């Protein structure tokens, strides 16, 4: 048999085998059950985790550079101990919300747990050459028939690679049952808003997240064109799963955009998924387009009272938000010449700068919300103390005891539109922002900021990024305040 004929037969065989390739389809859910599924309210507290200290960790995107800084921050949080039971700050993390490539360490932590993450993540990912391996896979002629099928894209192939070589076929049903809940975020191309891989979002499309590959969620979170392509989900929301629109959605729409633009926009986003005739499929790409800090989903949840009440199962005393921002900064080489930049440079700037600017906007929104939250907390404390003093003074004069005190105090609180049961939300708030900007030496700062956002870096760069994390944390005054208030100590 001639070699040319053998080659022809082999190619024909590949076309037959792969020509009809299609991406995995997320399964439907028959009935929404809020007592099951990958939801915050279904995560149990760990042995050394309490609601009194509630920590949200937001991880920004930026290739291995960001993942290495994330790893360094989490390693250092594990060294900071406090309390009689010697718990660490990492033990107390309740939510990890990630963007883009930081979804890799977040998902790894969520699947394999704290100790495996601390012991193995650097060798399993940070020191590996994933970018070279993925590009080799994408360029393999053996994959061309599948990529030419029209229903299997480069994003699907990358998700498959991560599934085989890092996440070992695991789905969201395999995620750790204890806190923290890991929220992997992507951007819904159809509406330009964040879509998170938690069951609450999958309720919107009547789909079962527990059977979805973790690798596909990670790939969706970092699906930044051109060599990553979007990940597709099927929308089943035709009324089959009993989805009921939350009360806050209609309330936000009735209140209008002036009341709270973020909540108003989120309400319309929720309603868009019910328009299944217009949105039978949902396409997800890099979360940096909608939130490169990885914090908007938990931030929105804390703004919605009904969701906030479900998140916490006992009164919070301290709320800590740690934002790990690995944003790069480098000078544009095109500014060195008078020749106009080419098409590729223009497209890169058109995509990258809005993401960077949006990151700054997100940080400012969080800061404003923290400031407002502190003001609300202080007002609640002040009004609560005033009402208690008033009730105590009045009831002691007539010696009517506890019943009188509670009646007068509650009546007073109602005057301030407060409820005695809600006064406990007057917690201390700490906003910690980890950023290369905290490095005082300019040349050293610029070196870290110029590290590329690739999926592989030299080992010495990775070690430098891990090593800089404690310094960046200690540069933040809110972090210093937290350590002081907890009476924390640093373990060797």
């Amino acid at each position: 048999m001639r070699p040319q004929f053998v080659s022809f037969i082999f190619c024909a065989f590949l076309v037959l085998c792969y020509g009809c390739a299609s991406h995995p389809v997320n399964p439907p859910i028959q009935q929404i059950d809020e007592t099951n599924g990958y939801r915050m309210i279904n995560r149990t507290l760990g042995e050394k985790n309490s609601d009194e200290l509630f920590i949200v960790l937001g991880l920004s995107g930026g290739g291995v550079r960001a993942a290495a800084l994330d790893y360094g921050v989490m390693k250092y949080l594990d060294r900071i101990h406090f309390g009689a039971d010697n718990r660490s700050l990492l033990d107390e993390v309740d939510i990890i919300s990630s963007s883009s490539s930081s979804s890799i360490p977040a998902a790894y932590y969520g699947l394999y747990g704290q100790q495996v993450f601390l012991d193995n993540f650097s060798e399993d990912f940070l020191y590996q050459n994933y970018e070279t391996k993925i590009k080799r896979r994408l360029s393999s002629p053996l994959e061309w028939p599948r990529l030419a099928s029209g229903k299997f894209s480069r994003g699907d192939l990358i998700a498959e690679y991560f599934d085989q070589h890092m996440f070992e076929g695991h789905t969201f049903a395999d995620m750790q049952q204890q806190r923290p809940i890991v929220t992997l975020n992507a951007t819904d191309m159809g509406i330009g808003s964040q879509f998170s891989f938690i069951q609450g979002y999958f309720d919107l499309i009547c789909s079962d997240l527990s059977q979805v590959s973790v690798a596909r969620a990670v790939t969706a979170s970092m699906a930044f064109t051109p060599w990553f392509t979007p990940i597709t989900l099927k929308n089943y929301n035709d009324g089959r799963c009993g989805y009921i629109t939350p009360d806050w959605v209609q309330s936000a729409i009735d209140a209008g955009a002036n009341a709270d633009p973020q909540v108003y926009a989120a309400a319309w986003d929720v309603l868009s998924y019910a328009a299944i005739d217009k949105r039978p499929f949902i396409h997800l790409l890099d979360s940096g387009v909608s939130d490169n800090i990885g914090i908007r989903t938990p931030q929105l949840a804390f703004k919605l009272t009904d969701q906030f009440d479900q998140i916490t199962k006992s009164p919070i005393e301290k709320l800590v938000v740690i934002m790990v921002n690995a944003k790069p900064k480098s000078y544009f080489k095109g500014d060195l010449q008078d020749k106009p930049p080419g098409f590729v440079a223009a497209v890169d700037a058109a995509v990258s700068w809005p993401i960077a600017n949006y990151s700054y906007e997100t940080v400012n929104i969080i800061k404003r919300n923290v400031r407002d939250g502190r003001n609300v907390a202080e007002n609640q404390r002040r009004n609560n103390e005033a009402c208690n003093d008033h009730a105590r003074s009045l009831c002691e004069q007539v010696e009517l005891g506890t019943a009188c005190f509670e009646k007068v105090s509650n009546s007073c609180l109602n005057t301030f539109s407060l409820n005695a049961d809600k006064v406990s939300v007057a917690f201390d708030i700490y906003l910690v922002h980890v950023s290369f900007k905290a490095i005082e030496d300019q040349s050293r700062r610029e070196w870290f900021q110029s590290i590329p956002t690739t999926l592989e870096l030299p080992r010495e760069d990775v070690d430098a990024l891990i090593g800089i994390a404690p310094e960046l944390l200690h540069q933040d005054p809110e972090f210093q305040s937290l350590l002081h208030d907890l009476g924390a100590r640093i373990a060797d």
Side-chain angles (χ1 to χ4, degrees), residues 275-301:
I276 193 170
D277 57 325
K278 297 180 178 63
R279 309 199 68 205
F281 298 98
I282 309 300
H283 302 286
L284 305 177
L285 51 69
D286 194 302
S287 57
V289 176
S290 57
D291 174 21
N292 200 42
I293 303 295
I295 204 68
R296 287 213 168 199
T297 292
Q299 181 245 351
L300 178 61

Side-chain angles (χ1 to χ4, degrees), residues 82 318 428-430 477-488:
F82 63 98
K318 290 179 172 59
D428 296 318
I429 305 173
Y430 305 80
E478 300 253 339
F479 186 73
Q480 292 288 350
S481 296
L482 175 65
L483 297 186
H484 175 270
D485 294 347
L486 290 174

